[in-house]
Each structure stands twice: as structure tokens, then as C-alpha cells.
Amino acid sequence: MSSAVRMDTRLNFPVYPLMVLLCAVCALSGTRSAVASSGRSCADTRQVYAEKGYSTGTAPLTQISGEHLRLCPQDYTCCSSQMEETLALQSERDFLKAVEENSQFLLTTFTQRHRRFDEFFRELIDLSEKSMNQMFTKTYGRLFTQNAHVFQELFVELRRYYSGGSVSLSEVLSDFWSRLVERVFSLVNPQYQFSEDYLECVSKHAEQLQPFGDVPRRLRVQVSRAFIAARALSQGLATGRDIVNKATKLTADSECVRGLMRQWYCPLCRGMPSLRPCHSLCLNVMKGCLANQGDLDTEWNNFIDALYQVSEKLEGPFNMELAADSISVKVSEAIMHMQENSVSISTKASR
């Protein structure tokens, strides 16, 4: 497979590492260099609060009783009710922003990989059709151009299958060979004028006559493997993109906000803005806020493993470049086989 579409970066989205990363990012949110709290003064709290763009009009100058607090411990505090409410909203915004920023790389990766793979595979189909047209125009000239629609329909159906259409590859290829045998049978027997009913009869008995030898079976196996795997990978990348996009559209419930306040802004209300949350507290809060995403962890990893298995098959036994290149070659081989065995095939057909 071209390096342009090779999945060379592991597309993993484990929730636990995301939690760790969020803890690392968010632990720094709103902190300053360590400054010791001076007694009951709220100067440090007022300064940090002002640096966030909020008015200090309701901020106490010194610590007051915290009986009015709803989220932080109700001991002496540097936060008024309005400050606590404002900081609760700020903690939610900080959390959602951190999730969005840390998931953006994964979303971008899936989006780009899907686009690049889709463009690459569609280009392979286009090149395969172009190669066939050039080869057969040069070899058969007017006979090919008169029947070009048979080959065009094959590629139309192949594209429709890849795009997710309700198409059976076996039926597509079977119909193609049926139409082709009618054209080639007339070509190798120019001394006769066959009726449509007779040619249709030849087409219906193609399995017994085997006018193209073993080529149809070999082409069906090769094309089916490559197209099934390519469609699965394309759809998988698109699905992964959509899952990441939806999974990171979060809302923080009241318990999540309470936990976020405890780790980020309750120390600020206590007059200790430089105090950072311990790692275990941060992880517990993140697990609560990302509980639904955590439930996806096992299935997500299985999904990623499946994508890798498909991509490896496309590089190996289901190689899509070889399959696309082989279409014109095998069709040409099939026609030559019928030309070389025209006498025996015509004899069988006349019985």
C-alpha cells in the first residue's frame, strides 16, 4: 500500500491516559508560583481572581465564615457565594476545553486518514479503468468502443460497492462476464449471425462452457478480497472519526462540577491559590466526569485492533493495488482464452 495511506501511527484513544493528561494540564490551571498565604489575608485569592478577568467587588479582603458555600468546605474562606458560582462555571469551561484540546489530535488523525485513503482508493479504480480503456482501444479498436459500456458499467458498480451501496460483488462480476461472453462469442464466430436468444442461452450456460477458463474465479477472489477490505477500512475510519467527535461532546453534571471545584478552585477559596490537587484526587474526579467514555475503553481498543488487521491485509494478501491493476490484465487474459479455444467452445454451445 502507498505510504500515503499506511496507518503508521497507532490510533488509540485509551481513556485512562487521557485522564492522566487532563490532570497534568488542569493541575496547572489558575496556579501561580508558590506563595505562602499570609494569615487570614485574601490578597492572593483576589489577585488570581482578578487575573482571570473577574471583578473583585464581592471578594473578601480577609477570610470569612464559609457557611454560605455549596461546593467547597464550609470553613473560613476567601470566596463569596458569587465567587464560588463563578468559579464553578469556570471549572466546567476549563474541563471541557481541556477535553476538546486533548482529543483534537485524534479527531484530526481519523479525518485525515479517511480522506487520504478514500482519495487513494478511488484513484486506483480510476487508473484501472483508464488502463483498460487504453489497452483495449489499442488492441480491439472499434470493436471495443462499440461495447465500451459493458466495461464502464463494471467500474460504476465497483465504485458503488466501495461507496457503501447495496451491491453484491459476486453478482456484479457475474453479470459482467455474462455480458462479455455474448460479445466475444460473436467476435470469435464472425461467420455466423446469432440471435439475442441464442447469445442469452450461451450466457446462461457459461458455467458449463467455461469460455474464459478459470479467470473469472481468480478475478472474483482477488477483487472481492481487496474491495471488501478497502470498504471496511474506509467505513471504519469514518466511524472512528464520528465516535471521537460524539464522545468528546461532553456536559459536566453537578457531581462532576463539584469534583472539579474541589481539585481546582476550592484551594483558591481557602486562600491557597498555589496548592495543586494530588494525583489520586485528579484521577478520581476525571473518572467520574468521563464515566461514559470510560465504558467505551475495551470496545474502542477492539475496534482499533480490527482496523489494524484490515489495513495489514490490504498490504498483504488482499493487496488493493494489485487487485486494481489485475482487472484489465485478467479480462484480457479471459478474452484471449476464449479466442484460443473458440472452436471447442462453439462446438459445446451448439450441442
Side-chain angles (χ1 to χ4, degrees), residues 119 121-131 133 155 159:
E119 290 174 351
F121 193 73
R122 290 182 185 278
E123 184 180 358
L124 283 182
I125 300 174
D126 292 343
L127 290 174
S128 179
E129 182 176 19
K130 182 179 179 180
S131 173
N133 289 338
F155 285 95
R159 290 187 184 91

Side-chain angles (χ1 to χ4, degrees), residues 80-100:
S80 63
S81 295
Q82 182 178 338
M83 288 176 66
E84 185 187 42
E85 183 177 343
T86 298
L87 291 172
L89 293 174
Q90 182 66 50
S91 67
E92 181 177 1
R93 286 194 294 269
D94 290 346
F95 169 68
L96 296 179
K97 181 180 179 181
V99 170
E100 180 180 0

Side-chain angles (χ1 to χ4, degrees), residues 286-299:
M286 290 299 119
K287 286 178 181 178
C289 291
L290 298 172
N292 292 333
Q293 286 67 30
D295 291 339
L296 296 174
D297 194 33
T298 300
E299 293 303 320

